[in-house]
Amino acid sequence: FASSRLQQKQSNLFVHLQPCDKMGQGSSTPAPPPAPEAKPQKKLGIKTGKPICCCCPDTKKPRDECVVFKGEEDPDCKKLIEAHKMCLRDEGFDVK
């Protein structure tokens, strides 16, 4: 009895399906693809041609290590921070 009820439910489901050969033949037209978004160009350093994150590795690494271990307010770290800013400015970036 249970298998006959299952077969009946399955046959009822298939009655409402369209054959595959008729799909996509409606009168509706597909939506046009979305316009590509204009992505802002990343500014590159004038000397290295690299983005700001990668321009000054020689000043970035010591600055980061100093800040992690000593804090931004440490006098040595302040010097390293300023040296890194100067390097970035030399690359043409606007750094405060």
Side-chain angles (χ1 to χ4, degrees), residues 68-88:
V68 167
F69 294 112
K70 298 181 181 180
E72 285 183 50
E73 299 303 317
D74 182 85
D76 293 333
C77 293
K78 285 184 177 187
K79 290 177 187 174
L80 292 171
I81 291 168
E82 286 306 312
H84 186 62
K85 287 180 182 180
M86 186 176 296
C87 178
L88 293 174

Side-chain angles (χ1 to χ4, degrees), residues 16-71:
H16 300 289
L17 297 176
Q18 294 181 355
C20 291
D21 61 340
K22 292 186 178 184
M23 289 181 66
Q25 294 182 2
S27 62
S28 66
T29 57
E37 293 181 25
K39 293 183 180 178
Q41 292 289 330
K42 286 186 176 180
K43 185 171 179 182
L44 302 177
I46 56 177
K47 292 181 182 178
T48 62
K50 296 179 180 179
I52 193 168
C53 64
C54 306
C55 273
C56 300
D58 295 338
T59 57
K60 182 178 181 180
K61 185 175 179 178
R63 177 209 62 179
D64 290 349
E65 288 176 356
C66 187
V67 169
V68 167
F69 294 112
K70 298 181 181 180

